[in-house]
């Protein structure tokens, strides 16, 4: 199978590339994933491993560090079934995950090994992972996720993604989270946290943030509007921004598709504790393209709140009643399982499963049609 | 059939009374309508006409003059079927209407004949109506509506109403309407209109307005909030306030019963001209009792907007899809057929039909159960 133009994701010890779709002999488009594994750094020899991706769907997930990418990936692999684990022999805290159905390649993970100066060790440590890559090609994964700081940075790589997601954590929330983690848990000073955020800001604004305009779905995390002047960052307002007109992706809606709705489910049938829960839904414009936005402000305190909300959302691509609730309960210990981050990450996972099934079905149908023609 | 305590509606040439429910020999409650017709004013003799109202439902409709009671009554009789007409031989502009199924007694109508000084003529003019009353008792009406300024003023009369409605037109809108009618159409000066409103205000506040706290449904008409600083009174925000816990009356809702919703139907599926249409729905407290409020701001410009909105409302007690739209189109020339006043008047009409059918069914079932016991 011919490999046409090959684009390389930058600065990895083990780089990989995705080729543009090529026509197979059966007449349908097929993507190629190509991995270049540096076996030694001195001899500069590379081993090229190519795999056919006829039934692989490639997903990009971009976000700043500490923004919940790994939680999202664990929710996604859970939706697809099978226990996701870091590759055997690698960093046990790695965001790189392999399950029966999903492989997550964490760009940052590779990158950090490169930068810590543990180059020699890093190469050695990477070997088992490369072995797992080999294994992966023998049993091609169904979902191939490229996550990290830059998966949508390069236009040529972007073009090869079947679906892309950006986690957009507002400065206020990012600051509150960093304070929680770096000050409360790691003993850093408030000044050093502020300085670290400020230092990262120019590069973040230049390279990371602009990727969101290309994303098919953006999960935006903001401070609540239910509590006046809240800056604790505990109650969150989360917006799921869904691009219209994306093939195999039908945005979620609330009650009436395409209209503008606000909904406070807490009332006669459902009681909620302060400050309650508020949803809004409607069409908007985002970087010049049409999107639908579903927003949740507040958090779930009880199971009945969660199932009540799930039952009123449409197009969430569940396979049975209560699947979103089941997923959130299964991973109740994950951060955000009681608010819009967990809810929307889970829903995006279900939408990706749906997208995957539609793509596979269309790829299966295409050669049959070619045969008939 | 025994008539127990009889309450008289005040100051009418032909007064009528409604008795408290009494037990019939079959064991079920039955109301009695009793009319006292003054045959002459000098001899002070009265003729008592009594009719059994086993299948009659009594509705009260209160509002200030010029607030759309007659339009509402025409919509109501239309819902019940049959052409409603003023009693033969009476005032052709009378609000008193008789159709096959509905009789509307307009208190103001009687009252005005009393006050115009045409006393002698009035008595004569009333005679054919009394004749029609006689006829009415032979063929008892299904819906008996008492409308006017004071139908819910007297607690004892209130108690006998099966359902009560108050039309609450805000001062701003009332003023805009009066200007339209009295200045544009009748050539009155702005000063005289203002003076006339001011002069009526103390009595209105003391006797008419307080009745709304007793109403099962209130239609509140306010200036639009869609156009900033609008005072034209052409685009209206109309609120249908529905008391909870009223037997045989299930409030209308939008999408999710008992929660708080706002809905702008104009969007991807439905386009509307400026300033658009906005609905809100939710539980509220009204004079200390629990109510559900459905609000419509804006107006319909096209048929598809009307049917789209109808299809998204629940509990509107239609007998077929599009019945509300059909009713509004049928009477497109009535004031308010393109806004919330017409929509909610029609819906209240359908709710009264539903209430009537439930009451009749329960009265029919009651003696059967008594026989079985």
């Amino acid at each position: 199978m011919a490999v046409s133009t090959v684009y390389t994701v930058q600065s990895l010890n083990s780089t990989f590339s995705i080729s543009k779709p090529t026509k197979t002999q059966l007449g349908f488009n097929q993507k190629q994933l190509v991995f270049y594994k540096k076996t030694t750094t001195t001899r500069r020899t590379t081993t090229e491993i190519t795999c056919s991706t006829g039934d692989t769907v490639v997903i990009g997930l971009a976000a700043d560090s500490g923004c919940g990418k790994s939680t999202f990936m664990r929710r996604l692999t859970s939706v697809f079934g099978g226990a996701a684990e870091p590759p055997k022999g690698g960093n046990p805290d790695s965001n790189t995950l392999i399950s029966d159905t999903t492989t997550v390649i964490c760009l940052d993970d590779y990158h950090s090994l490169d930068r810590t100066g543990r180059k020699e060790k890093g190469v050695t440590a990477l070997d088992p992972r490369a072995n797992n890559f080999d294994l992966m090609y023998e049993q091609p994964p169904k979902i191939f996720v490229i996550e990290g700081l830059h998966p949508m940075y390069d236009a040529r790589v972007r073009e090869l993604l079947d679906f892309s997601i950006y986690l957009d954590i507002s400065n206020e929330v990012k600051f509150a989270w960093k304070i929680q983690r770096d000050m409360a848990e790691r003993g850093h000073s408030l000044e050093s946290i502020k300085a670290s955020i400020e230092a990262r800001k120019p590069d973040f604004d230049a390279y990371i943030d602009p990727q969101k305009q290309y994303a098919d779905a953006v999960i935006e995390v903001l401070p609540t509007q239910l509590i006046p002047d809240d800056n604790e960052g505990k109650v969150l307002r989360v917006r799921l921004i869904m691009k219209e007109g994306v093939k195999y992706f039908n945005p979620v809606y609330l009650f009436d598709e395409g209209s503008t709705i606000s909904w406070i489910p807490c009332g006669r049938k459902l009681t909620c504790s302060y400050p309650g829960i508020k949803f809004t839904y409607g069409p908007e414009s985002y970087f010049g393209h049409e999107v639908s936005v579903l927003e949740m402000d507040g958090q779930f305190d009880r199971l009945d709140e969660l199932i009540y909300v799930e039952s009123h959302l449409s197009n969430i691509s569940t396979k049975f009643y209560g699947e979103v609730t089941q997923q959130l309960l299964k991973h109740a210990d994950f951060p955000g399982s009681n608010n819009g981050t967990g809810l929307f990450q889970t829903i995006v996972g279900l939408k990706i499963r749906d997208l995957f099934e539609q793509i596979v079905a269309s790829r299966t149908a295409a050669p049959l049609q070619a045969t008939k023609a």
Side-chain angles (χ1 to χ4, degrees), chain A residues 39-105:
Chain A
T39 44
T40 68
T41 44
T42 46
R43 278 177 58 206
R44 292 207 159 270
T45 56
T46 57
T47 311
E48 183 180 319
I49 306 166
T50 309
C51 80
S52 149
T53 60
D55 61 351
T56 296
V57 172
V58 185
I59 307 292
L61 172 68
D64 199 4
S65 58
C67 287
K69 288 193 300 289
S70 59
T71 301
F72 188 4
M73 284 303 100
R74 282 167 194 275
R75 290 193 199 280
L76 180 69
T77 51
S78 172
V79 163
F80 274 86
E85 289 176 359
K88 285 187 183 68
N91 172 10
D93 295 326
S94 167
N95 278 350
T96 298
L97 296 172
I98 294 171
S99 81
D100 294 347
T101 54
T102 315
T103 293
V104 181
I105 297 297

Side-chain angles (χ1 to χ4, degrees), chain A residues 74-222:
Chain A
R74 282 167 194 275
R75 290 193 199 280
L76 180 69
T77 51
S78 172
V79 163
F80 274 86
E85 289 176 359
K88 285 187 183 68
N91 172 10
D93 295 326
S94 167
N95 278 350
T96 298
L97 296 172
I98 294 171
S99 81
D100 294 347
T101 54
T102 315
T103 293
V104 181
I105 297 297
C106 174
L107 303 185
D108 309 343
D109 199 28
Y110 288 69
H111 192 59
S112 69
L113 286 169
D114 197 27
R115 278 176 59 190
T116 51
R118 296 181 288 123
K119 237 180 186 173
E120 279 299 307
K121 196 188 167 198
V123 170
T124 323
L126 277 172
D127 279 359
R129 292 190 216 184
N131 288 340
N132 273 334
F133 284 165
D134 292 343
L135 188 67
M136 190 176 82
Y137 306 139
E138 287 160 26
Q139 301 170 322
K142 289 176 171 176
I143 303 286
F144 189 84
V145 184
I146 305 164
E147 68 113 307
L149 289 161
H150 304 97
M152 283 106 80
Y153 185 77
D154 188 294
R156 297 163 305 175
V157 177
R158 265 199 319 269
E159 202 182 308
L160 297 165
L161 299 174
D162 289 297
F163 195 78
S164 57
I165 305 139
Y166 184 87
L167 301 186
D168 187 13
I169 315 300
S170 69
N171 288 333
E172 299 95 319
V173 174
K174 211 184 273 186
F175 187 64
W177 284 0
K178 272 206 187 295
I179 285 180
Q180 171 62 27
R181 192 183 67 179
D182 294 349
M183 199 159 92
E185 293 169 17
R186 298 180 186 176
H188 295 194
S189 73
L190 191 63
E191 288 67 33
S192 74
I193 295 166
K194 277 184 184 166
S196 134
I197 288 175
E198 285 305 309
R200 294 182 87 265
K201 205 167 181 312
D203 273 0
F204 173 77
D205 290 346
Y207 307 121
I208 312 304
D209 196 58
Q211 294 176 99
K212 64 189 179 193
Q213 67 191 291
Y214 308 116
D216 298 313
V218 174
I219 297 178
E220 205 174 87
V221 184
L222 300 150

